[in-house]
Amino acid sequence: VRVPVGSSTQDVSGRIDRVANIMRLRFSPASVSIPRPGFVNFRLLDAHNPLDEEQIPPAPAIGRSFAHPCPLGVDEQGAPLSVSLYGRSLLIGGSPGSGKSVAAWNVLLHAAADPATVLLVCDLKPHGIETAPLHQRANVVATTPAACLSAFRQVLSTIDARNLSLLTYEDSPLEKTNPDLGDIGAPIVIFVDEAAELSYTDDGKQALEMLQRIVAIGRSAGVCVILCTQKPSGTIIPTSLRDLMGYRMAFMTGSRAQSVVILGEEGLQQGAEPQAIPVESPGLGFCDVSGKVQAFKGYNWDRELI
């Protein structure tokens, strides 16, 4: 659609809505892009929106390898949405009751199902109650900022040792676990629930700084960091850390500012509006997959599968 340079968002949306109504199709705000001044590209979908379904779709069978893509949910066309997390990191944010915890469990169960995965669970809720069913499977459980700091120090030491060992190999196991590499190819998954709790103590602040370094240098060593927060703010998730995360998922947030903390301005410019998600739509969110934002609805995993 060609529009006058300087047109407002409302002007552009109005033009697209008219086209959608004439064609009896549905406009997806998250599909908008601006290839050059004066032009807007967008996508129209079938009138039925899978994301409007009341029930969160059931999850597929859990795979046995963390190297395989992790199923997240379904997109606006009802197609499965999945991402490869080996050596990548994921930021999950959203208000209580938004579906954030269910999404986190999707990824946790995907990691736990692989017996080769080294799983570090950092649960800052009292007594680690959020992840308690998984503690027996985890290799390390940290429920205090001091314990998180100690665990992250060990991970940095492991990254250094792995990178040193990888110098003797011609191929680096960046994209998938290589069983020929033994322990140095095993995925390391760090799950941090309620990262905001780390910001209140000196140990916690050091842990956050160390975590940022892990995200920055851990990919070559097969490290994946999953960071969850229900209090998105720039002091907890600074831009420097957010931009290092390979994937970001934003469920219902309390304000536009919180949405920006998770997805960045670029995400909102692509049509994402987590702050506009209704309270009665848990599981509905926006996922930034390597710079491309799309709406999706998360799968509902059965915790009895643990």
Side-chain angles (χ1 to χ4, degrees):
V1 171
R2 185 171 184 173
V3 297
V5 175
S7 297
S8 67
T9 303
Q10 290 77 12
D11 292 336
V12 175
S13 295
R15 287 170 179 259
I16 297 176
D17 283 337
R18 285 195 292 274
V19 174
N21 289 334
I22 291 171
M23 299 181 69
R24 296 183 180 179
L25 294 174
R26 174 169 51 89
F27 166 46
S28 168
S31 71
V32 174
S33 63
I34 304 174
R36 61 186 186 276
F39 287 84
V40 174
N41 289 341
F42 62 93
R43 183 176 70 245
L44 295 179
L45 304 174
D46 185 271
H48 171 70
N49 186 355
L51 304 187
D52 287 339
E53 301 290 341
E54 290 186 7
Q55 297 296 321
I56 298 176
I62 296 177
R64 295 292 292 174
S65 173
F66 191 72
H68 295 161
C70 174
L72 299 179
V74 296
D75 64 17
E76 290 181 293
Q77 301 181 67
L81 175 65
S82 61
V83 296
S84 296
L85 290 172
Y86 182 78
R88 304 297 295 272
S89 296
L90 169 66
L91 172 61
I92 306 175
S95 302
S98 64
K100 173 182 63 66
S101 295
V102 174
W105 273 97
N106 290 356
V107 184
L108 268 174
L109 291 176
H110 179 67
D114 185 345
T117 297
V118 179
L119 182 59
L120 284 73
V121 174
C122 301
D123 188 347
L124 280 304
K125 290 183 178 177
H127 310 293
I129 190 171
E130 181 66 26
T131 57
L134 206 62
H135 289 181
Q136 287 187 333
R137 164 61 182 87
N139 298 81
V140 176
V141 177
T143 59
T144 66
C148 292
L149 178 59
S150 176
F152 296 164
R153 281 179 177 147
Q154 183 60 48
V155 171
L156 282 173
S157 177
T158 300
I159 291 173
D160 185 62
R162 284 192 175 192
N163 286 335
L164 186 61
S165 298
L166 287 172
L167 292 175
T168 63
Y169 292 87
E170 293 182 0
D171 299 318
S172 176
L174 281 178
E175 301 303 330
K176 60 181 180 179
T177 304
N178 186 340
D180 295 333
L181 296 180
D183 290 342
I184 67 169
I188 297 176
V189 177
I190 303 172
F191 176 76
V192 183
D193 188 50
E194 203 39 69
E197 297 300 317
L198 289 174
S199 64
Y200 301 132
T201 67
D202 290 339
D203 284 341
K205 292 174 183 177
Q206 289 183 54
L208 276 174
E209 292 175 1
M210 204 165 289
L211 189 65
Q212 181 167 330
R213 185 163 176 240
I214 289 172
V215 174
I217 69 173
R219 185 180 181 194
S220 62
V223 178
C224 169
V225 175
I226 303 154
L227 193 60
C228 299
T229 180
Q230 63 182 10
K231 305 172 186 175
S233 72
T235 57
I236 308 302
I237 312 294
T239 302
S240 56
L241 175 57
R242 180 197 68 210
D243 291 346
L244 289 172
M245 309 299 284
Y247 307 111
R248 307 166 209 158
M249 294 166 57
F251 295 92
M252 178 187 65
T253 60
S255 67
R256 186 182 188 281
Q258 290 184 341
S259 300
V260 170
V261 168
I262 305 168
L263 297 175
E265 281 288 351
E266 306 82 13
L268 272 63
Q269 288 173 3
Q270 292 185 49
E273 293 185 320
Q275 70 278 8
I277 295 175
V279 175
E280 60 273 14
S281 299
L284 184 62
F286 294 88
C287 184
D288 183 336
V289 181
S290 301
K292 181 181 179 181
V293 177
Q294 52 189 313
F296 80 107
K297 196 157 193 175
Y299 285 130
N300 186 18
W301 288 94
D302 184 357
R303 294 194 191 186
E304 296 298 324
L305 295 173
I306 299 173

